[in-house]
Amino acid sequence: MSDLSEKVVLVTGAARGIGAAIAAACEAAGAEVIGVDRDPCGGIVADLAEAEAPGRVFAEAMEQAGRVDGLVNAAGITTRASFMDADVERFDALVAVNFRAPFFLMSEMIRHLKERGTAGSIVNIQSMNAHCGVADLAIYAGTKGGLQTLTKNAAQHHMADRIRVNGINLGWVATETEAALHAADKGPGWLEAQGEQQPLGRFVTAQECAAQAVWMLSDASAPMTGVNVDLEQWVVGAPP
């Protein structure tokens, strides 16, 4: 059973979409949740694009709860850019939010758990694009591939510290942001039609991702670490 009773979990990107679903699922599993977002989320308001944000966020979490037992890096941006039209501004913005911020939040978390001498768990929300990605998500795919590698690196080198680090390579999910994005350029109903064409006749849901994240955070998934789960409706390497 995925029980998070008496655990404090820090969740980034908690104001909407995947992050909000994970925060709600963690609370339902018994955790005290500290949400983080650049928009009001009932927790810590911070823009993770700012270099000092991870340190400040963790300090505020410590002030609120006195400890952190679990971390979910769910915040991310999906600004589109290919090798043909990318610019330094978009590159730096994607790296700052999707790669630098998770790295330093993981750093704060690992240092905190080592100082406490206690076990803990980190879950990184990645993307199926980490395997390659479509052309106009080249930079985004690179940041998610980098985060996947950080997941394995942290898991390997802090296994003896009883700090477990796992990731979810998330596929296509029909979040509110996704619906608004496609409605603007493809018209209402397009996203729903795409869902009907998936193998399950629908998209993977934010709640299904959240359930996996809660399980990874909980003791029920121990001793699993360094695992990146593909949560999508196709298998990498399978014939088309």
Side-chain angles (χ1 to χ4, degrees):
M1 180 179 178
S2 300
D3 182 14
L4 298 180
S5 299
E6 300 184 2
K7 293 184 185 294
V8 178
V9 179
L10 183 65
V11 181
T12 69
R16 65 178 62 81
I18 305 301
I22 292 172
C26 286
E27 286 187 345
E32 176 184 346
V33 175
I34 302 174
V36 181
D37 205 286
R38 62 185 177 185
D39 297 322
C41 61
I44 300 170
V45 176
D47 185 352
L48 293 176
E50 298 173 357
E52 71 279 4
R56 180 172 67 80
V57 163
F58 210 87
E60 288 191 31
M62 290 295 294
E63 287 180 9
Q64 288 186 27
R67 72 178 199 280
V68 181
D69 305 297
L71 166 66
V72 182
N73 282 307
I77 57 174
T78 56
T79 307
R80 292 179 179 271
S82 72
F83 281 96
M84 299 299 294
D85 60 13
D87 53 55
V88 172
E89 183 179 1
R90 279 181 288 177
F91 185 97
D92 288 348
L94 280 156
V95 170
V97 176
N98 295 359
F99 188 73
R100 185 181 68 196
F103 177 93
F104 284 104
L105 282 166
M106 290 168 68
S107 176
E108 294 282 352
M109 181 69 173
I110 290 167
R111 186 178 296 108
H112 168 65
L113 290 171
K114 284 175 63 67
E115 288 174 354
R116 284 173 57 197
T118 190
S121 184
I122 298 171
V123 177
N124 292 320
I125 304 303
Q126 299 154 185
S127 170
M128 290 296 291
N129 285 282
H131 294 293
C132 176
V134 296
D136 64 350
L137 287 176
I139 302 171
Y140 173 80
T143 63
K144 292 301 185 177
L147 186 54
Q148 179 173 254
T149 299
L150 291 182
T151 295
K152 288 182 172 290
N153 186 281
Q156 171 63 29
H157 297 294
H158 295 284
M159 192 178 301
D161 298 317
R162 298 178 298 145
I163 300 171
R164 299 188 302 110
V165 190
N166 294 291
I168 300 173
N169 286 328
L170 189 58
W172 203 354
V173 177
T175 62
E176 299 94 330
T177 301
E178 187 80 356
L181 174 68
H182 291 295
D185 59 0
K186 294 178 176 136
W190 181 87
L191 192 62
E192 290 79 2
Q194 292 299 307
E196 292 172 359
Q197 296 176 29
Q198 303 302 306
L200 295 177
R202 62 172 180 81
F203 290 113
V204 172
T205 69
Q207 289 70 31
E208 287 167 334
C209 176
Q212 293 296 318
V214 169
W215 177 69
M216 287 177 168
L217 287 168
S218 77
D219 296 338
S221 61
M224 186 180 83
T225 192
V227 173
N228 292 297
V229 173
D230 290 342
L231 188 58
E232 177 60 301
Q233 297 182 51
W234 56 274
V235 177
V236 174

